[in-house]
Structures are given as C-alpha cells and as structure tokens.
Amino acid sequence: MSEAFSPDEMMTIAAARALGNSDICFVGIGAPSAACNVARLTHAPDITLIYESGTIGTAPDVLPLSIGDGELCETAVTTVGVPEMFRYWLQGGRISIGFLGAAQLDKFGNINTTVIGDYGAPKTRLPGGGGAPEIASSCGEIFITMKQSLRGMVEKIDFFTSFGHGSGGNHRQELGIATKGPTLLVTDLAVWKPDPVTKEFTVRSLHPGVTREQVQATCGWEVKFADDLGTTEAPSEQELNTLRDLKARTKAAHEGQAA
Amino acid sequence: MSEAFSPDEMMTIAAARALGNSDICFVGIGAPSAACNVARLTHAPDITLIYESGTIGTAPDVLPLSIGDGELCETAVTTVGVPEMFRYWLQGGRISIGFLGAAQLDKFGNINTTVIGDYGAPKTRLPGGGGAPEIASSCGEIFITMKQSLRGMVEKIDFFTSFGHGSGGNHRQELGIATKGPTLLVTDLAVWKPDPVTKEFTVRSLHPGVTREQVQATCGWEVKFADDLGTTEAPSEQELNTLRDLKARTKAAHEGQAA
Amino acid sequence: MAKFTSLKEAVADNLRDGDVVAFEGFTHLIPHAAVHEAIRQGRKELTLVRMTPDLVYDQMIGMGMAKKVVFSYAGNPGVGLLRRFRDAVENNWPHALEVEEHSHAAMANAYEAGAAGLPCAVFRGYKGAGLKNVNSNIREVVCPFTGETLAAVPSVRPDVTFIHAQKANRKGDVLIEGIIGVQKEAVLAAKRAVVTVEEVVENFDDVHPNACILPNWTISNVCVVPGGAHPSYAHGYYIRDNASYVEWDAIAADREKFTDWMNKNVMEKDETVFASRIENLKGAGK
Amino acid sequence: MAKFTSLKEAVADNLRDGDVVAFEGFTHLIPHAAVHEAIRQGRKELTLVRMTPDLVYDQMIGMGMAKKVVFSYAGNPGVGLLRRFRDAVENNWPHALEVEEHSHAAMANAYEAGAAGLPCAVFRGYKGAGLKNVNSNIREVVCPFTGETLAAVPSVRPDVTFIHAQKANRKGDVLIEGIIGVQKEAVLAAKRAVVTVEEVVENFDDVHPNACILPNWTISNVCVVPGGAHPSYAHGYYIRDNASYVEWDAIAADREKFTDWMNKNVMEKDETVFASRIENLKGAGK
C-alpha cells in the first residue's frame, strides 16, 4: 500500500508512533519536533508538546526553525518564563518523555553534544548541552533520534553532555537518578531498545529493506540484535502525507519570510 | 492654623512625613497603610507602595481591609505571585522601607506578634509573624508604628517574631544582617529614633501637647529623651484633610459592601 | 486530565482522613465552598497547610478536623485574631492541635520548592527570628561559593490541594487572574488538585499569552461553583464581603455560637448556596 | 528611575570595559541593536553572560570584545554552530576566550537566584553530567531534611543587563509579552539595566494585571529602537527573520567575510537602521 519513503521519513514516523495521547513531551528542534507534531496530527491529537522556550501545549501549523519561534507561543495553552519552565515543569517531574539528539552516542545512551576531542582544547567545539543534562535526568523517559554513522555512534564518547545508562546496569540508580533514562533509540535504519538488564541498546526492528550489515557498518560498537528481531512497519499513507504536508508548509513559511 | 487632631491622626501623619517620593515601601495593614497613602496623596505622589499580596505600585482610592483587596490589584502597575514577591522584590533587596506594627516592642525595636507567654503553652496566641521576619531583615530600613501602652512597650518581649537591633549596638551586623533595621518609631505620643551607637530608641520629638511623663507612663522601659528634644510639627490642614477624606471614603466603601 | 464533577464528588474522590491538604488563595479566591464540603464530609486527622489559615481553617479547626496546622499568619486580616484557632492552641478545644509555624517567605518558598520538585527551599531568612528555636523544620544550608548561611525549610508537598479560580475552558484548563497568590505552586506541588471555578468558557483564545493558566493535565477535578470563594472574592466577578469577615469575629468568639453557625450555614447547606451569597456583591464597589 | 535616552547614550552611560554584561532574550526579543551599539563603542574585556550566545555573542566574540563567556548553548538555533565562537575556542582568534559552561537549567536558576538576591542557586541537576568535572562553579549542597545531594551554581549578578521589549509607557514601565525567557530575572539580577523598546504608549491600563511588567524604578535607561531585535523578533510587531539566521552561517564561516559584514552592517550604521530591516517582516506569516 505505502509509497516509497526516505530513511529520514521512516525515522521520524517510527519515533512519532512511540508517542501517545496522554504524553507530555519536551520537544527539541529537528527530527524530534517533526516526530512530535506528526504524532499530534495523526494518532495522538491530545498529546502535550512543550518547548524549552516556555511554551506549554503548543500546536504549531509549521515546524519552528528555533525552539522559540512566535508560532509556538501563539498556539500554546500558556507561555511561562524559562526559570519556571526548568523548575516547575521539567524538574517538577511533569514531563513524561524528553527527546534528545546526539552528535556522539554510545551503546548505553550517553550523549555528547559538547566537544569532539579534549574539552580544554577541542578539535571541534559543538554547541553544548542546553537543556539536555536535566532533560536526561528529569523526564520520565528519554527517546533518542539520530542518523547512523561511525562518527556519531561510537564506542566511547568524548564528553558526557547528558547521562544515559552510564556504564549500564543500575548505574542510574547508583547516582540517585529515579527516572528511566533512554528507553528508545530510533535511527534512520532501525528501532533500538535497551536490554532490560545490561541497558545496552539492542536492535528490535530493522526498517523495511535495511539489513543487519548496514546497521553494523554505520555503528561504531558491536551491534546486538534482538532474538525476535522484527521489521519496522512501513509508513502508512496517512503518516507519510502528514509528514510531507508538514514539511511543505514549513518550507513555504520559512522561504516566504526570506523573500 | 491647624485644627484639633487625635493622637492617632498625629501618629499616621508623622509616619507619612518620613516617606519620600523615591521610596519603595512594603506596606502592612492598619496605620502603615494609612501613613503610606497619606504620603502618596500629599508630598510623595510618586512613592511606590507594595503589598505582600503581590501588588506592586498600587494607588488605592480607599484603604484596603485586607492586604489583598481587589482595589490593590486594580490600581497596581503589576501583580505578581507571592513566591516572586518574597524572592525577587523583598529578598532581592528592592524595598527601601518596610513598615511593621507590634503587639510587643522592646527598646531595641525587636517585635513580638506571635504569643504572649510561653510559645509551647501560650497565654494568648497572636496571629504570628506573616512577612515580618524577612521584612525586618531584607528592607533597607524599618519604620514601626504603634500606640503606646505598658502592655505593648515592654522591657523584654515574650518572643522574637522579628529582629530589630537585638541587644543593641552591632548585633545586626554580628548576625550577618546588612540592612539598617528599625530607624524610626512613631507612636501616638512621640517620634523616636535609635541612638546611633547603642541603638536604643530615643524620643526625638513629642507630639504637640504631650509631656515626657505621659510618654514614660505608657512605656515599660526607662525612656531616654534626646538632648535636643523637639515638638512634632502639628498636622497641617492639608495632611489632616487628606487623612480624614481617605478614612471617610474607606468607611463608606466598606459599609457599602456590608449592606 | 481534569474531570468535570460536582464538588461533592471531587471532595469524596480526593480528600481522605489523615491527608496533608492545602486550601490556598491569598486573601483573593479563597476556596470557601470546597472547605465547607470537606466539613460536611467530616474528614479527620488532617494536616492543614496554608499561609494564612483565615476563616476557612478557623472553621475546620473548630469542627475538630485538624491534627496539625502548617502556617505563617493566623489572623483574620484587617479584623483581628482567629478565635477557634486560639481556643485550640490555648485550651485544646475541641482537641489538641499541633502547630508548625513559619514566616510568609518560608511558606512561599516551600510551595515554590514543592512545585519545583525539590525536597527543600533555600532562602535568606529567619535572621535573628525566634521561630528557629521552636520549629525543628527550620534549618540551615551554607552557600558553597560565599560561605553565607542560608535558611532551609522542607518543601510543601500536599496530598491534595484545593483552589478556587475564575474560569475553566471546555478542556478543563484553568485561568487565575489578579492576586494569584501561591495557587499555581500549591497545585503543582500536590499529588492531586481540585479547582472550583466561577464559570466554564468555550476557550481561552482571547486570554493574555502569559496569564496564569493551569493546563488540564495538572488538575484532577474541576467543579463549577459560582460564588465559591465567598466571603473572599473573585476578581472580575464579585468583591470581598468585608462585613462577613468582621462578623466572623463575634461568631467565632463563642463555642456555642460557632457550632450553631456551622450547623445552620454549612452542615445544612450544600455548594449551591454560594451563588446566592454573592448576589449583592456582583459589580459592587466600582 | 528610568530615563528615556538614545541607545548611544544608554550604552555609553552603562557599559564599561571589564563589565559582566548580559544581553538577554530567549530566541524572542534578542537585543541586537544594543549589541551593535556596544560593538560600535568598542567595549573590551567583557564577561558575556547569556543562555544562548547566538549571533549577538558570535559577533562580539569575533570583534574581540569578550574576555569570557558564561553560557549554556552556543549554537545558531535550527541552523548549526556558532563559527566565530568556535574559532575563538579552537584557534584563539582574535584572542583566547575563557569559557564557563552550564546547562540551561543551571543558567535559568542562576538568573533566578540573582533576581532573588541569593548568592547561589540550588536545584536538581548535572546528575552524571561531564560539565561538573570541567567547571569549578558547579558544586553541591546537601538537603538538611532528606540528605539528597543537590547541585549549586553561583547566581548571575551582571553589572549591566540589556534587553529588548515590546513597549514602555510614558513613565518608563516596560511590558514584555509572549516568550518572556529570562529577561525579568536578568534585569532584576543586574546593577543597571537598559531596555530598548518598539514603541512608547500612554499607559498600560488595558494590559492584563499579571502581564510581565518591569516598573520604571528597576530600569536605568529606556531607548526607543523600532526593529531593535532584528533578525530576532518582537511578538505582535514583526516575525523572526529566519533567512538572516541561515545566511549568518556563511558569513561567520570566514574571518574576512565576517569582518567585511561587520563593517558594512554594524560599524558604518547606527541604531536607526533597524526600523528599515523589519519593513518586510511586519505582520508577515499570519
């Protein structure tokens, strides 16, 4: 039934499916924002989307370029100051799902977006953590989306911007962190979930047409595959149309402004 | 020139005179509220009045019965939440003058509004401190108004609801309090200021017609009078009219509501 | 997600014997109707948290529902003392009352810390104040940068908070305007929250983007109770019934008079009576 | 008490070499005009505080004005990296830059603590995070009730804060609406504060009672600079110029191109140019 789709589209749609109607999501820019809004426009119309700019319960018609575009405020249930956002809403434990991206990711869901190389004399200075350190510890659980690459999915990250499962097992609890941490990784090739005991990310399903070898070839650690490895359900026509319409509206809106 | 006036009126007007146009006042209910609003309606039209209910820059037409009457919000520059009031505005050091009343007061400006008798088994349980403990330490300086009585002005207060000059001298600095503390006491009989060194309240001027003996007879500690003891200037016609009009408007408004 | 229910149902569903409960509202929007329903349902052994206990806690204390009260100013604002509260503290009538007393700053910070999910609030306070000596929940923390000693109090985390607000929309989001007090914090700090409102409107499209709005997923029950704050007030709906506050002083001064008044005005009534109590206060004063 | 002055005068009066300065605005209302005036006045050795350094600090860093930057996210939002910032950190161009890096939560709490007059902010954060190991201004405090270890950072207390807002009234009170970010805190935490506004209106009588308003006595100077946030935006006035943010990436990628652009668009201009930059962005998008 479904048309051709890109790995990127599959990634966004697979992430969208993991979101439910009663979720309260802390949304980042890029793939997370697209996934959250596709969820809202398909199976989860009542999902609550929160951007760290203070906008609570937004329903943007186009995707924002920044986390603080005017559209987010205009469609929000309410807009609060940034200190309140981080104190009452994030630290207060009211967010069920936080979305994070990564420049570098290890198999335990630890994330680096700070530096490549040494912190004091970096090879590449990246933007840094922003909200991520506390999103990683305060949200009920963490979903990660990223495109696979040997540069990105590494055995050892250069800097612990945000803590996932540390060195695995009960490392979170040992640090006094009460939340679940990363429970889902959606890449352009596969859906991963942490092993219940070791907490190492394990491939649960390959996107349609993707092979185990492709997943391993773009991942810097030795990949574990689930015994009952499945295939990710291809995007439905509705999912694909929703995503493409959203992207088209976004492109038109952003180009319109540049004119 | 001036008409007959009551000791109460003199007290309110003498307190009003101590306020300036650039003052930011934390106002309590009762005599302080009347004094602050008389100042605003006479010589200090730009004075900023703040009530702990969160109303900043109020200009009520009638005196509120409570610190949170609707009139305060309606005439305010802005109304903030109570946590913000106590954090940003009071603790933030933005208030120049805090007004306090007292059930019991000692000669160093320490105040009790908590209990008469033992805290654990009180003879009389009073309302308690409310904002007073931090008003006393966070405002630039403290003005106190109260009617004199042997029951109220005592050698030793039963409970330190709010700290004035402690046991006098540099006691405030020793506790790490950077603000000035009580700098003015206006009673129905006299204007008092702390001695620059001992910090003991000293009578600086007697209200018109009041004798030293009257002051001493209604004060539980041995009263010190300034060498250059003066007489408080009698209320001007404008001051008296302003206060009486305010009280009349207030009475009419409050009785109107009861109907 | 907020359910629309009757106040009777909301109290029955959310308030249990032994709960730590906050009925909040700083002079404005005091949830009198919710308190009266709690009194009718006869809850016991409550820990009552509130900055200004006011008439509402005077009534619950007098009715013997309170095990403990956590507060910062136990007066009848602008009138005087709280006589039922006094009778409990001074004479153990109707039974002994445990008291945890703070300053306003401490209570406001404690609600803020509760909303922020923290175990304690840290602020500059209680310098030289006597409450430090009689309340073991006032402690200290040292700033690790300057060495300054700061005050710490436990955060307030009620089992349930009741507030009154102006409006809900059809989805159950709640709008609070004017003197907003600590209501947002009291709701966000609590496990469960019940909001009585003056009315329900279609949506909040015309409301200021930074107005104080509680999303429906922070609230358990929304109950439409016009006049539900009386004799307190609802900004934009009716003014404060100052005369009732003055009258309370005489009612509460006498145990028998108090009991009679409670029977006649609370026990024998239900939530619908509040609408009639504000008839003469609508649009008055302005 | 706020004075109405030109921006040139306000910067000259309030910003000094060596100051700790915050130019705040979270995506919305970024005070670009104020930054450009600071660049023209050639201030040096500044400690630049800002959650998201963004284009404005990329420009000041590239012009050699910054000794140190205190921040939590050094990206061009939605576009990519900040290339002048990178060049300073990676290659010391135009000179070495000291870095104090935090999380958003820490910075937001640090501004809040600054506004609250506290020496430090206490929050639950940095659990397992690497910044703790490279920033000695991230320390710990133990809750005296539960024993939980909490994070502490010094409060932000700028010598001067610059913000852009929608409106002032004739008295110099300032109104901020929409995404309000940390501007109120940044102003209240600072010794001095300068606000550029889109316009001056007679009064705020029709404004919501709980809107974000800074009273005139919290502000040093108010300057009318229409368009002063461009290419950021002012809710209700003009939309974000996303294309300019995208273009910046190429400009900042090259030292010479950057210098040329700064000369042409900043050094040779004055504050009046901003009004023309928003001509095509007014009322667009909606």
Side-chain angles (χ1 to χ4, degrees):
Chain A
M1 268 309 284
S2 69
E3 320 164 46
F5 53 88
S6 73
D8 240 30
E9 288 172 337
M10 183 70 252
M11 175 169 78
T12 299
I13 287 165
R17 287 178 190 153
L19 299 168
N21 229 353
S22 61
D23 276 319
I24 316 291
C25 289
F26 212 77
V27 189
I29 285 304
S33 187
C36 290
N37 282 290
V38 166
R40 181 175 63 81
L41 295 167
T42 56
H43 65 283
D46 291 333
I47 191 170
T48 296
L49 306 185
I50 296 183
Y51 289 73
E52 65 193 6
S53 54
T55 52
I56 297 175
T58 67
D61 193 47
V62 303
L63 295 175
L65 183 68
S66 80
I67 47 144
D69 281 19
E71 170 102 4
L72 296 174
C73 175
E74 280 154 19
T75 63
V77 172
T78 185
T79 297
V80 301
V82 167
E84 179 180 325
M85 175 50 66
F86 281 95
R87 284 179 72 82
Y88 293 0
W89 302 90
L90 180 61
Q91 182 179 263
R94 302 199 157 265
I95 315 291
S96 61
I97 292 167
F99 255 106
L100 292 174
Q104 285 185 333
L105 175 78
D106 72 17
K107 62 184 164 191
F108 293 116
N110 303 300
I111 287 174
N112 173 24
T113 59
T114 303
V115 287
I116 305 298
D118 179 61
Y119 184 81
K123 189 161 153 282
T124 307
R125 174 66 231 201
L126 302 169
E134 285 76 22
I135 291 172
S137 57
S138 291
C139 295
E141 48 192 309
I142 297 295
F143 291 178
I144 301 169
T145 54
M146 73 182 293
K147 284 193 212 189
Q148 294 202 195
S149 76
L150 289 174
R151 215 172 53 167
M153 296 172 78
V154 297
E155 188 64 40
K156 195 171 151 32
I157 59 177
D158 290 0
F159 192 89
F160 265 58
T161 304
S162 65
F163 191 83
H165 296 290
S167 52
N170 294 322
H171 201 167
R172 284 179 76 84
Q173 290 93 312
E174 285 158 21
L175 293 186
I177 309 175
T179 52
K180 286 184 193 161
T183 56
L184 179 70
L185 164 64
V186 181
T187 68
D188 49 340
L189 302 182
V191 172
W192 310 56
K193 291 192 179 177
D195 178 273
V197 177
T198 67
K199 301 292 160 64
E200 179 177 336
F201 270 129
T202 306
V203 178
R204 303 299 306 263
S205 71
L206 300 169
H207 296 341
V210 173
T211 65
R212 291 180 184 229
E213 291 67 32
Q214 285 173 300
V215 172
Q216 181 64 73
T218 51
C219 180
W221 67 78
E222 197 185 322
V223 179
K224 292 226 164 66
F225 295 91
D227 294 341
D228 57 343
L229 182 69
T231 302
T232 315
E233 197 184 328
S236 72
E237 205 176 313
Q238 190 215 1
E239 287 169 331
L240 217 44
N241 289 344
T242 302
L243 174 59
R244 286 174 183 175
D245 288 353
L246 180 63
K247 294 244 173 180
R249 282 200 303 278
T250 300
K251 191 160 178 282
H254 289 178
E255 282 176 354
Q257 290 169 218
Chain B
M1 267 310 285
S2 68
E3 320 164 47
F5 53 87
S6 73
D8 239 30
E9 288 172 335
M10 183 73 253
M11 174 169 80
T12 299
I13 288 166
R17 287 177 190 154
L19 298 168
N21 228 353
S22 61
D23 275 319
I24 315 290
C25 289
F26 212 79
V27 189
I29 284 305
S33 187
C36 291
N37 282 290
V38 167
R40 181 174 65 79
L41 295 167
T42 54
H43 65 283
D46 291 334
I47 191 171
T48 295
L49 306 185
I50 296 184
Y51 288 74
E52 67 193 6
S53 54
T55 51
I56 297 176
T58 65
D61 193 46
V62 304
L63 295 176
L65 183 69
S66 80
I67 48 146
D69 280 19
E71 170 104 3
L72 296 174
C73 176
E74 280 154 19
T75 63
V77 172
T78 186
T79 298
V80 302
V82 167
E84 179 180 326
M85 175 51 65
F86 281 94
R87 285 179 72 81
Y88 292 0
W89 302 90
L90 181 62
Q91 183 178 261
R94 303 199 156 267
I95 314 292
S96 61
I97 292 167
F99 256 105
L100 292 175
Q104 283 185 333
L105 174 78
D106 72 17
K107 62 183 163 191
F108 294 116
N110 303 300
I111 287 173
N112 173 24
T113 60
T114 303
V115 287
I116 303 298
D118 179 62
Y119 184 82
K123 190 162 150 281
T124 307
R125 173 66 230 199
L126 302 169
E134 285 75 23
I135 290 171
S137 56
S138 291
C139 294
E141 48 193 310
I142 296 295
F143 291 178
I144 300 168
T145 53
M146 72 182 292
K147 285 193 213 187
Q148 294 203 193
S149 76
L150 289 175
R151 213 171 55 165
M153 296 172 79
V154 297
E155 187 64 41
K156 196 170 154 23
I157 59 177
D158 289 359
F159 192 87
F160 266 58
T161 304
S162 64
F163 192 82
H165 296 288
S167 53
N170 295 320
H171 201 168
R172 284 178 77 84
Q173 290 93 313
E174 284 157 22
L175 292 187
I177 308 175
T179 51
K180 286 186 195 162
T183 55
L184 180 71
L185 165 64
V186 181
T187 68
D188 50 339
L189 301 182
V191 173
W192 310 54
K193 292 191 178 179
D195 177 273
V197 176
T198 66
K199 301 293 161 61
E200 178 177 337
F201 269 127
T202 307
V203 178
R204 302 300 305 265
S205 71
L206 299 170
H207 296 340
V210 172
T211 65
R212 292 181 185 226
E213 291 66 32
Q214 285 174 300
V215 172
Q216 182 63 75
T218 51
C219 179
W221 67 79
E222 196 185 325
V223 179
K224 291 226 166 64
F225 295 90
D227 294 340
D228 57 343
L229 181 70
T231 302
T232 314
E233 196 183 329
S236 73
E237 204 176 316
Q238 191 214 0
E239 288 170 332
L240 217 45
N241 289 343
T242 302
L243 174 59
R244 288 175 181 175
D245 288 353
L246 180 64
K247 295 242 173 179
R249 283 200 303 277
T250 300
K251 188 157 180 282
H254 290 178
E255 282 179 353
Q257 289 166 221
Chain C
M1 193 66 89
K3 295 184 292 189
F4 285 89
T5 67
S6 70
L7 178 55
K8 193 171 173 180
E9 192 180 335
V11 171
D13 283 358
N14 288 284
L15 183 63
R16 297 153 200 172
D17 286 350
D19 270 354
V20 176
V21 55
F23 294 84
E24 268 299 349
F26 198 84
T27 310
H28 181 212
L29 294 172
I30 299 175
H32 276 263
V35 166
H36 287 190
E37 183 55 37
I39 292 170
R40 281 190 292 271
Q41 296 195 15
R43 294 281 71 75
K44 293 274 181 251
E45 293 286 312
L46 300 175
T47 293
L48 299 175
V49 185
R50 195 174 144 75
M51 293 185 68
T52 57
D54 210 90
L55 272 54
V56 283
Y57 284 18
D58 215 29
Q59 294 172 358
M60 287 200 285
I61 290 165
M63 295 297 278
M65 298 162 69
K67 181 181 70 179
K68 178 178 175 180
V69 59
V70 182
F71 73 102
S72 44
Y73 181 82
N76 179 347
V79 177
L81 307 172
L82 289 179
R83 298 181 185 278
R84 291 297 96 225
F85 168 75
R86 275 189 66 183
D87 205 13
V89 172
E90 296 171 13
N91 309 312
N92 295 339
W93 193 92
H95 55 66
L97 180 68
E98 204 181 325
V99 156
E100 179 177 336
E101 184 171 4
H102 288 282
S103 67
H104 275 354
M107 287 292 289
N109 274 285
Y111 274 116
E112 202 274 350
L118 291 173
C120 65
V122 174
F123 64 107
R124 184 181 292 111
Y126 288 126
K127 300 231 175 196
L131 281 177
K132 274 199 294 203
N133 308 322
V134 295
N135 179 347
S136 63
N137 268 343
I138 301 172
R139 300 187 188 171
E140 292 179 347
V141 147
V142 175
C143 170
F145 302 98
T146 62
E148 181 179 353
T149 298
L150 299 166
V153 294
S155 59
V156 169
R157 305 300 300 264
D159 292 306
V160 53
T161 287
F162 291 83
I163 65 166
H164 186 73
Q166 278 104 336
K167 292 178 176 72
N169 65 19
R170 295 258 170 241
K171 291 180 174 175
D173 304 317
V174 164
L175 173 67
I176 309 169
E177 296 181 299
I179 292 177
I180 53 179
V182 293
Q183 282 96 308
K184 184 179 203 168
E185 288 75 16
V187 165
L188 296 181
K191 296 193 188 84
R192 305 179 294 278
V194 174
V195 185
T196 54
V197 296
E198 291 295 325
E199 63 171 334
V200 176
V201 298
E202 197 55 39
N203 60 55
F204 288 160
D205 289 353
D206 59 347
V207 173
H208 191 275
N210 308 121
C212 180
I213 292 178
L214 287 162
N216 56 21
W217 45 275
T218 63
I219 295 164
S220 313
N221 296 58
V222 175
C223 317
V224 183
V225 186
H230 178 273
S232 172
Y233 71 106
H235 197 112
Y237 290 82
Y238 47 93
I239 60 168
R240 192 170 190 266
D241 187 356
N242 283 325
S244 287
Y245 277 89
V246 174
E247 283 161 19
W248 179 253
D249 199 50
I251 297 161
D254 181 88
R255 290 176 187 172
E256 208 171 313
K257 213 186 262 183
F258 164 76
T259 307
D260 282 353
W261 192 94
M262 292 302 291
N263 280 332
K264 203 170 299 169
N265 294 283
V266 179
M267 301 310 284
E268 294 166 11
K269 296 289 194 298
D270 65 32
E271 65 199 64
T272 61
V273 76
F274 282 87
S276 66
R277 289 179 178 162
I278 57 160
E279 271 310 320
N280 296 328
L281 299 162
K282 288 182 192 170
K286 283 265 106 183
Chain D
M1 192 65 88
K3 294 184 294 188
F4 284 90
T5 66
S6 70
L7 178 55
K8 194 171 173 181
E9 192 181 333
V11 171
D13 282 0
N14 289 283
L15 183 62
R16 296 152 201 175
D17 287 351
D19 270 354
V20 176
V21 54
F23 295 84
E24 268 298 350
F26 200 84
T27 310
H28 180 214
L29 293 172
I30 299 176
H32 276 263
V35 167
H36 286 190
E37 183 56 36
I39 293 172
R40 281 191 290 273
Q41 296 194 17
R43 294 279 71 75
K44 294 274 182 249
E45 295 286 314
L46 300 174
T47 293
L48 298 175
V49 184
R50 196 175 142 74
M51 293 185 68
T52 58
D54 210 88
L55 273 53
V56 283
Y57 284 17
D58 216 28
Q59 294 172 357
M60 287 201 283
I61 290 165
M63 296 297 277
M65 298 162 68
K67 182 180 72 178
K68 179 178 174 180
V69 59
V70 181
F71 74 102
S72 45
Y73 181 82
N76 179 345
V79 178
L81 307 173
L82 289 178
R83 297 179 186 279
R84 292 298 93 224
F85 169 74
R86 274 190 65 183
D87 206 10
V89 172
E90 295 171 14
N91 310 309
N92 294 340
W93 192 92
H95 55 65
L97 180 68
E98 205 180 323
V99 156
E100 179 176 335
E101 185 171 1
H102 288 282
S103 67
H104 275 354
M107 288 292 288
N109 275 285
Y111 273 116
E112 203 274 348
L118 291 173
C120 64
V122 174
F123 64 107
R124 185 181 290 111
Y126 288 126
K127 300 233 174 194
L131 281 178
K132 272 199 297 203
N133 307 321
V134 296
N135 181 347
S136 62
N137 268 343
I138 302 171
R139 300 187 188 169
E140 293 178 345
V141 147
V142 175
C143 170
F145 302 97
T146 63
E148 181 180 353
T149 299
L150 298 166
V153 294
S155 59
V156 169
R157 305 299 300 263
D159 293 304
V160 52
T161 286
F162 291 83
I163 65 166
H164 186 73
Q166 277 105 337
K167 292 178 177 75
N169 65 19
R170 296 256 170 243
K171 291 181 174 173
D173 304 318
V174 164
L175 173 67
I176 309 170
E177 296 181 298
I179 292 177
I180 52 178
V182 292
Q183 281 98 307
K184 184 178 204 168
E185 288 76 14
V187 164
L188 296 181
K191 295 192 188 85
R192 305 180 294 278
V194 174
V195 184
T196 55
V197 295
E198 290 296 324
E199 64 172 333
V200 176
V201 298
E202 198 53 39
N203 60 54
F204 289 161
D205 287 354
D206 58 347
V207 173
H208 190 274
N210 307 121
C212 180
I213 290 177
L214 287 162
N216 56 22
W217 44 276
T218 63
I219 295 164
S220 313
N221 296 58
V222 176
C223 316
V224 183
V225 186
H230 178 271
S232 171
Y233 71 106
H235 198 113
Y237 290 82
Y238 48 93
I239 60 168
R240 194 171 188 266
D241 188 357
N242 282 326
S244 287
Y245 277 90
V246 173
E247 282 162 18
W248 180 254
D249 198 50
I251 296 160
D254 180 87
R255 291 177 188 173
E256 208 170 313
K257 213 186 260 181
F258 164 74
T259 307
D260 283 353
W261 191 93
M262 292 302 290
N263 279 331
K264 204 170 297 166
N265 294 284
V266 180
M267 300 310 283
E268 296 165 11
K269 294 289 194 300
D270 65 28
E271 67 198 63
T272 62
V273 74
F274 282 87
S276 65
R277 287 178 178 162
I278 58 159
E279 272 309 321
N280 296 327
L281 299 162
K282 287 182 191 168
K286 280 270 108 181

